[in-house]
Amino acid sequence: MKIVSSQIKGVGILLLLTAVSLSACGDQKKKTGKVLARVNGEPITALQLETELSYANDAKKAGQQQPLREQALEALIDRQILLDEALRNKLDRDPKLMQIIDRFKTQAIVQAYLESIEAGRGKPSKAEIHAYFQGHPELFAHRRIFNVQQLSIAEQDLTPSLKSTMDSAKTLNQVAAWLQKNGVPYEVAKLSYTSAELPPEVAGKLQQLGSNRLFVVKDGGKGLLCALTESRESPVTEEIAGAQIERYLLNKRMQEVAAAEIARLRALTKLEYVDKPAAQVVEGNAALATGLPDKKVAEKNVADKKNTHAMQDMAGLK
């Protein structure tokens, strides 16, 4: 079996679930169009290939059309092989899988409905993009990069004695030596954050600290002993940021459309809570939410990106 790109493979797993769902429900429509390959007699068509390519973000990059088409076709073949085996093992009858598939199917239909409402408004104008760029210098013209070294320990090990050591230490290496001497297990990580990833107040505090200053972050059950090793400007031009701003504004519009449509339809809906939980928590559709700009992965020794959320809960800045 040929190995294909992880980007297309990721889409393949999701579409495999969808294919199982349609097959299980007995409403999978007969495939039509030019046949490109057959897997155990099951046709793979040109229409399926075009749909697959539409999910690849870089499908339109110059000079990459043919390689991507070949990879996408192999992904379709791989998925059909896996689907055949999944059905042979009656995986489509598993209740938990059916719930997962139903959730994906519902999200896709809802997303398509909201996009159909939004379709008539067109893309954000150049003026809108320019206004956003000018209004958020901390994200673009004055964007900064913060390089942070971290020692991750269990929160219960964040004792008064260790805090005292953090107060007197000049470097994180001195803190690491104290942890080793006292038998406290820890993990080392080096990460990079941009001012675009952090709340303005947190980015401001980091900028005020200066290089090699120590601080403590609490992240759930962990304590993060941190040192700011570098803070430098890394501006982004409007030309480079334009595509990201456009995506952000489109997603923001979609959120607004969703909120307005939900409010309209709720007013027309007969809603009855049969067994309402004591604490009702309503969360937004994660598929419609997005950040700006795209997160940058640390170049080396990257820890779990949930540290970004920990940085947002920064406590005990020295």
Side-chain angles (χ1 to χ4, degrees):
M1 187 181 298
K2 189 174 181 179
I3 303 299
V4 299
S5 69
S6 59
Q7 181 184 30
I8 296 178
K9 277 294 204 178
V11 175
I13 293 174
L14 174 57
L15 294 184
L16 169 62
L17 294 178
T18 305
V20 173
S21 174
L22 294 175
S23 177
C25 296
D27 60 357
Q28 188 172 17
K29 295 182 179 179
K30 184 178 180 180
K31 298 174 183 177
T32 59
K34 181 181 178 181
V35 176
L36 303 178
R38 285 190 173 87
V39 178
N40 295 326
E42 185 69 23
I44 304 294
T45 68
L47 180 59
Q48 287 177 275
L49 178 60
E50 294 305 318
T51 302
E52 184 82 357
L53 285 170
S54 71
Y55 284 92
N57 292 331
D58 55 353
K60 296 182 180 179
K61 285 186 178 180
Q64 294 190 27
Q65 273 281 12
Q66 189 58 34
L68 279 170
R69 293 182 73 85
E70 292 173 358
Q71 291 175 354
L73 178 58
E74 294 302 320
L76 286 168
I77 292 171
D78 290 349
R79 186 160 65 244
Q80 187 62 48
I81 291 171
L82 289 171
L83 177 59
D84 288 348
E85 187 64 14
L87 295 177
R88 190 181 71 81
N89 285 278
K90 300 181 180 179
L91 188 63
D92 54 317
R93 302 181 187 180
D94 183 281
K96 290 183 179 179
L97 178 62
M98 292 174 70
Q99 287 294 320
I100 294 172
I101 294 169
D102 187 60
R103 181 174 182 271
F104 278 122
K105 183 178 178 180
T106 300
Q107 286 183 331
I109 294 172
V110 168
Q111 184 75 13
Y113 172 67
L114 293 175
E115 288 176 356
S116 71
I117 298 175
E118 168 64 16
R121 298 180 62 180
K123 293 183 178 181
S125 66
K126 291 184 178 180
E128 289 177 288
I129 293 173
H130 178 72
Y132 190 91
F133 180 88
Q134 293 293 333
H136 297 81
E138 74 284 359
L139 303 182
F140 308 110
H142 299 303
R143 190 186 74 152
R144 299 189 69 86
I145 289 181
F146 303 103
N147 292 329
V148 178
Q149 185 175 2
Q150 295 178 348
L151 303 178
S152 176
I153 63 173
E155 188 173 3
Q156 61 265 28
D157 291 329
L158 195 58
T159 60
S161 179
L162 176 53
K163 291 179 181 178
S164 177
T165 299
M166 283 284 290
D167 289 338
S168 61
K170 300 297 183 183
T171 68
L172 206 59
N173 287 337
Q174 294 176 344
V175 179
W178 186 94
L179 294 174
Q180 291 175 356
K181 181 180 178 180
N182 290 272
V184 179
Y186 66 92
E187 295 180 356
V188 180
K190 293 181 180 179
L191 300 109
S192 291
Y193 302 92
T194 70
S195 52
E197 294 177 305
L198 304 172
E201 63 275 11
V202 173
K205 288 180 180 180
L206 283 176
Q207 188 171 345
Q208 293 172 10
L209 282 180
S211 297
N212 297 316
R213 293 293 299 275
L214 307 184
F215 58 94
V216 178
V217 175
K218 292 182 179 180
D219 176 25
K222 291 185 178 181
L224 304 177
L225 314 178
C226 305
L228 178 63
T229 58
E230 183 183 23
S231 172
R232 57 185 171 85
E233 281 205 357
S234 179
V236 177
T237 66
E238 185 171 350
E239 181 180 4
I240 294 175
Q244 291 180 335
I245 295 174
E246 181 180 281
R247 286 196 299 271
Y248 171 78
L249 293 177
L250 282 172
N251 279 293
K252 185 179 179 182
R253 276 188 192 175
M254 188 64 69
Q255 289 178 313
E256 293 169 353
V257 167
E261 188 65 0
I262 289 171
R264 184 185 75 84
L265 293 174
R266 270 183 170 259
L268 301 174
T269 299
K270 182 180 179 181
L271 176 62
E272 179 184 0
Y273 289 104
V274 178
D275 186 12
K276 184 177 180 179
Q280 186 83 1
V281 178
V282 180
E283 297 181 353
N285 187 346
L288 303 180
T290 187
L292 176 73
D294 295 340
K295 290 184 178 296
K296 292 180 68 67
V297 179
E299 293 182 355
K300 51 185 176 179
N301 198 17
V302 180
D304 193 305
K305 287 306 288 183
K306 70 180 181 179
N307 283 279
T308 297
H309 302 293
M311 294 294 288
Q312 296 177 1
D313 296 325
M314 186 178 297
L317 282 177
K318 185 176 174 184

